[in-house]
Amino acid sequence: MNAVDLYARRTQGFDAGLARTVALLKDAAAEHAGHIVQATSLGAEDMVVTDLIARHALPIAIGTLETGMLHDETVALIGRIEQHYGLPVEVYRPRQEAVIDFVRSHGERAMYSSLPLRKRCCGIRKLEPLSRMLGERSAWVTGLRREQSNARGEVPERDQDDAGRLKLNPLADWTWGDVWHYIAAQGVPYNPLHDEFMPSIGCAPCTRAIAVGEPFRAGRWWWEDESAKECGLHVMQQEQPAVSMIGAPQ
């Protein structure tokens, strides 16, 4: 059974939600012409957003973070997007010297050692490259949904980040079933790791498959307390929680 068979479930409000999402994207593209980017994680939600951008010929750039620790399947999806949609994907990588220094000082498995080291790794591989992606932009688009976790339960459709940019979350009220219904209906390319029970996919060392009944993001940083399930991309700096390690992989 693949992810489409497993997850695709169209809700009664799907059509209205889709129309609202398209309207949000169109309005943001007009308000921030030439200065808006989709920061795609290459996950299922972001693939829906990319498809809508392409399908409606919206002037929204597409960018992604290639952390150097992604699964091969995730990296391959960048080329699949460019081939399928004929759109370029801006790829932002961590500064090599920062990665080398971090690994030399703390080792390849530093993320399992402590929460501060895991967050430092995310900072080098994600937050700093994101800052370059957003540098000249006044708005960005994400695939955040309220249903993804308790920490995201109040995600607004329109928000502001720490720098005062518009942060658009056009799928905020979509269900996981509707995401996959759209993927199935429109033939949207997606990461094959979703077929292997990985609904939320990040860097390879920090992602595992989930079991039946586990929360959506249980496979992310699974050795940490549940409240730690963020890398910092979608958390206001003053809201960073104090959390503990549960048990790192041996």
Side-chain angles (χ1 to χ4, degrees):
M1 179 177 289
N2 62 30
V4 169
D5 295 333
L6 188 62
Y7 302 126
R9 302 289 186 275
R10 183 181 186 277
T11 65
Q12 185 174 4
F14 174 78
D15 289 338
L18 176 58
R20 178 168 179 78
T21 295
V22 173
L24 287 166
L25 288 168
K26 288 182 175 179
D27 288 348
E31 292 169 11
H32 299 271
H35 298 281
I36 182 171
V37 62
Q38 180 199 5
T40 174
S41 70
L42 305 170
E45 292 93 344
D46 280 299
M47 292 307 301
V48 169
V49 174
T50 296
D51 188 86
L52 290 170
I53 289 170
R55 191 170 298 277
H56 295 276
L58 300 178
I60 299 175
I62 301 169
T64 196
L65 308 177
E66 209 292 68
T67 68
M69 297 289 280
L70 300 179
H71 300 85
D72 290 343
E73 294 88 342
T74 305
V75 176
L77 194 52
I78 298 170
R80 290 173 61 199
I81 289 170
E82 294 181 324
Q83 182 176 24
H84 185 83
Y85 296 110
L87 295 174
V89 178
E90 300 176 9
V91 179
Y92 294 83
R93 295 179 173 85
R95 298 195 185 280
Q96 193 64 20
E97 61 274 17
V99 172
I100 291 171
D101 181 65
F102 179 80
V103 173
R104 183 186 294 124
S105 299
H106 304 291
E108 294 279 358
R109 295 172 59 84
M111 69 285 295
Y112 302 136
S113 300
S114 72
L115 185 62
L117 283 178
R118 196 274 284 173
K119 287 185 176 291
R120 176 60 179 155
C121 186
C122 289
I124 292 169
R125 296 181 184 277
K126 294 183 176 182
L127 299 185
E128 191 282 327
L130 179 69
S131 72
R132 282 184 272 125
M133 181 194 297
L134 301 181
E136 301 301 320
R137 265 82 187 228
S138 59
W140 54 305
V141 185
T142 84
L144 292 181
R145 293 184 304 111
R146 299 181 189 117
E147 189 185 65
Q148 287 169 337
S149 69
N150 289 337
R152 298 179 178 183
E154 297 183 3
V155 167
E157 291 175 332
R158 293 175 64 96
D159 199 5
Q160 279 192 330
D161 66 13
D162 285 331
R165 302 180 192 88
L166 170 67
K167 185 177 180 183
L168 189 71
N169 310 304
L171 303 187
D173 63 354
W174 281 46
T175 68
W176 186 231
D178 279 339
V179 168
W180 283 96
H181 169 72
Y182 183 93
I183 287 172
Q186 303 300 336
V188 178
Y190 67 85
N191 193 326
L193 292 175
H194 287 306
D195 294 333
E196 299 179 23
F197 305 101
M198 294 185 186
S200 179
I201 303 169
C203 292
C206 300
T207 304
R208 67 161 171 81
I210 66 172
V212 175
E214 283 193 296
F216 182 89
R217 287 171 64 80
R220 301 291 296 280
W221 308 293
W222 63 93
W223 62 92
E224 295 176 355
D225 182 85
E226 182 64 25
S227 61
K229 305 284 180 151
E230 295 288 351
C231 61
L233 293 178
H234 303 299
V235 179
M236 289 288 193
Q237 294 308 303
Q238 64 269 26
E239 296 175 358
Q240 293 277 9
V243 292
S244 61
M245 307 288 278
I246 295 175
Q250 302 300 314

